[in-house]
Amino acid sequence: MTSEEIIEKVKSDQGEDIQSAEVNLGDAVLFVAPGAVHKVLGYLKNDSDLNFDYLSHITGADYLNEERDPRFEVVYEFHSMDKNHSIRVRVGLEEEDPTVPTVSDLWRGALYPERELFDMFGFKVTGHPNLIRLIMPEEWGGHPLLKDYPLTIEDIAFSHNRELKQDLVKSKPPTR
Amino acid sequence: MSVTEQGLLEREKDSMTLNMGPQHPSTHGVFRIVLEMDGEVVDDAEPHIGFLHTGIEKTSEAKRYAHVIPMTDRLDYLSPPSNNLAFCLTAEKLLQTEIPERANYLRVIMCELARMASHLVWLATHALDIGAMTVFLYCWRERERILDLNEEISGVRMMTSYIRLGGVAKDATPGWLQGVRKFIDYLPAKIDEYERLLTNNPIWIDRTQGIGIMSREEAINWSMSGPVLRASGVDFDLRKQRPYSGYENFDFAVPLGKNGDIYDRYLVRVAEMRESRNIVEQALKKLPTGPYKVDDNKISLPNRNTLKSSMEALIHHFKLVSEGISVPKGETYVPVEGPRGEVGFYIISDGSNVPSRVKLRAPSFMAIPGMCAMMEGCFIADVVGIIGSIDIVMGEVDR
Amino acid sequence: MGLIDQAVDLVEMKVNDVQENVKDILDQADYELSGAVYDSILTTKVGKVIGWAQKNALWPATFGLACCAIEMMAMANSRWDAARFGAEVFRASPRQADLMIVSGRVSQKMAPVLKTIYDQMPEPKWVISMGACASCGGVFNNYAIVQGVDRVVPVDVYVPGCPPGPEALLYGIIKLQEKIMNEAGTKQAAKRVA
């Protein structure tokens, strides 16, 4: 199916659960609220015409600098192995409570990307069997891919003012 | 029940925890896996990753688009051109540029050479893990020739950064093309040599056949990709299914496996090397003449000779070097078929010259949970074979 | 006095001279090294022999980290053939190795592991920092990467490049051999096994 046909079909079947749908640069894109994620994705997987049986990836995004509401977003990308088409699902998450339900019961390959979401962005994935840090060490503080997490800390090895050293350690602006 | 019998029964319930890695010769990098053993059988396998976390995704958010390309080389360091290509195609989709034919062909040649080099390293290390030392030495001999070709065209043996936004770094010389020609004439006999050593070797068959089986449904559900997916019988190759970069012009087969075990993955990869060789041969034959990068001075640097005569070219040169390419606002994802499977970048652009988010879809990362599922119920000796057959590269797992 | 007597006197004088010289040297050594006589006389010669043996039988640990590990493997292979310099016996266990080639970037999570492996290696041991990332963090100046492995373990030779070619790594190994030979029989060599 082409992207337009996919969007048509999803709109007619799940019109009340999706926020909007568009074709962006040739890709089918769905916008879904966090509450309806599991239902819509379950439909995408089990519908015989769509048959999105393959999870390509899950990623997060932080739109802090773009003054957007909601600030966070989770992006799912699915393929269908037999039908050879794809869809992208974007789920906006509020800054106060970035929570998204797990889809690892539908696609088992989602287990690790969801743990990565928790590790790198601090999103809570409800229903995930083992939601602990994946890449960073367990005692690590903060979530590196958030925009307000500094890229690097300037390390001052020596200072006469030892008590002021804490103030001297500053976050370094990114180099462009 | 006697006391001894009871003691034996209680001991049966005991399991041993075995730690492999992060510094282990056959985990292919810094990969740690904690195995819960019941005697010699694996009960549970839990991977620990992140020992090579480089923060490339975060660092990319502070670099201009052209500066991200060398960093993508260091993700999957066995086949840098596939990563370059995935990144460039994604950015070019946002820029909506058309790439000249010759650049597409040169990209395909580089990617296929990298696929062969990557599969050669895989075969070398996989065979070494299972105990075939000779294959290791033979495979590196051929790989060195590919690295020499890389060095000739880009100046570096491994991290080529040859594929750039809007085309390739520089045009291929006739001498280089002749070198590629020589290499692809030389390779098939060598692949036959590996096959003579392994394909019908009883030890190799005992160690690989019927081990690490993954069915078609499981492979799809666990998000496996590339040769692992195709060894399980799924006919999904992005070069065929969604041709990019002119792959629709080439005639090649997609090798498929039946059983989805380690042996099938071996057969699929060896057949893929032959197919890659065919693609390069066709590309050399059909290589068109013309420009090797787009004629848009907003994306690629103007010709050096025009700088002294054309004001406009000078301004464009200055802008490109000092400011970089500004990519229109938007987000997109383009997957390509790397040696390990679906490599793709999801780029969010905020309209400036710096990407707002760069995400790599890494085939090795997605394959790790499935790999551990494969290990349950197999013997400890087969764990090494299973890790080898998935062909993980920690650079792209941890990013 | 016959010629023989003259010769005997001469020899005696020489012997006395030598004895006094040796005594002087010994006293001086005694004064300088406070008892470490054997360091200065015996082990200079034996130490050189030991150093020569050590430099020609460097056993690297199989410690691949990132991209540079691939070039390290290339160095051990037939084309570059590290065996010519006695450094081809890669050992999987750090207990059997005396050279650690830090091949690639060291992350914050890996640094404690790297230190453990270094501590597990028997003395004397040497470290080669291979590539830009291991030497100074390379292009990855960020939260995740240790900015130079010399913050974790002492480094003997730095090999630049991203990644350095096998020939560069071989040059690094030759430089390390020179260093071992120059150190042989000196206090530095004694310190390594102390």
Side-chain angles (χ1 to χ4, degrees), chain B residues 194-255:
Chain B
Y194 315 143
E195 288 222 71
R196 268 207 302 284
L197 283 168
L198 294 176
T199 306
N200 294 320
N201 184 333
I203 304 171
W204 181 259
I205 290 174
D206 278 356
R207 288 296 305 272
T208 56
Q209 244 173 20
I211 291 163
I213 296 178
M214 188 160 245
S215 70
R216 192 193 136 91
E217 287 69 33
E218 275 179 326
I220 294 174
N221 204 356
W222 278 114
S223 290
M224 308 305 261
S225 56
V228 183
L229 189 66
R230 291 194 284 276
S232 297
V234 184
D235 186 8
F236 191 78
D237 187 323
L238 288 161
R239 292 174 293 173
K240 269 269 189 259
Q241 251 61 303
R242 306 186 190 167
Y244 53 88
S245 225
Y247 267 108
E248 63 273 16
N249 303 332
F250 302 109
D251 175 32
F252 62 99
V254 178

Side-chain angles (χ1 to χ4, degrees), chain C residues 126-149:
Chain C
W126 294 274
V127 177
I128 289 182
S129 156
M130 182 186 181
C133 304
S135 304
C136 66
V139 288
F140 305 113
N141 182 9
N142 59 26
Y143 64 95
I145 294 296
V146 177
Q147 300 296 308
V149 73

Side-chain angles (χ1 to χ4, degrees), chain A residues 11-163:
Chain A
K11 261 186 182 167
S12 64
D13 286 4
Q14 299 280 314
E16 71 277 15
D17 284 319
I18 56 171
Q19 289 168 334
S20 62
E22 62 177 24
V23 176
N24 178 15
L25 296 169
D27 307 332
V29 185
L30 286 186
F31 292 84
V32 181
V37 167
H38 203 276
K39 181 166 175 273
V40 173
L41 296 195
Y43 156 79
L44 289 180
K45 187 186 176 192
N46 295 324
D47 188 89
S48 56
D49 286 338
L50 296 173
N51 194 13
F52 287 107
D53 50 0
Y54 187 86
L55 170 77
S56 172
H57 70 92
I58 305 178
T59 182
D62 180 1
Y63 288 97
L64 179 68
N65 302 338
E66 291 189 29
E67 307 277 322
R68 236 178 64 148
D69 194 54
R71 175 181 162 187
F72 296 124
E73 196 171 68
V74 176
V75 183
Y76 301 82
E77 185 94 29
F78 300 104
H79 301 322
S80 170
M81 289 284 121
D82 299 328
K83 306 274 192 302
N84 189 23
H85 52 220
S86 295
I87 196 165
R88 186 179 311 140
V89 180
R90 295 171 62 179
V91 182
L93 299 183
E94 295 296 337
E95 191 174 349
E96 292 77 40
D97 179 32
T99 306
V100 73
T102 181
V103 292
S104 55
D105 49 340
L106 296 167
W107 297 270
R108 277 187 286 176
L111 282 170
Y112 271 48
E114 283 179 347
R115 264 176 79 182
E116 198 198 355
L117 275 188
F118 169 73
D119 189 359
M120 293 315 217
F121 288 94
F123 299 165
K124 287 172 211 70
V125 185
T126 50
H128 192 282
N130 186 22
L131 198 67
I132 51 172
R133 279 196 184 271
L134 178 67
I135 287 174
M136 302 311 292
E138 301 221 339
E139 67 281 358
W140 196 265
H143 301 285
L145 282 179
L146 294 181
K147 286 277 179 195
D148 41 13
Y149 187 94
L151 175 65
T152 178
I153 305 284
E154 201 162 352
D155 190 0
I156 296 171
F158 174 77
S159 168
H160 284 293
N161 305 318
R162 280 191 166 271
E163 58 274 17

Side-chain angles (χ1 to χ4, degrees), chain B residues 286-305:
Chain B
K286 291 195 254 175
L287 184 69
T289 49
Y292 63 95
K293 58 180 184 183
V294 286
D295 191 23
D296 180 355
N297 288 345
K298 295 252 183 294
I299 294 168
S300 70
L301 286 175
N303 190 352
R304 178 99 194 130
N305 298 333

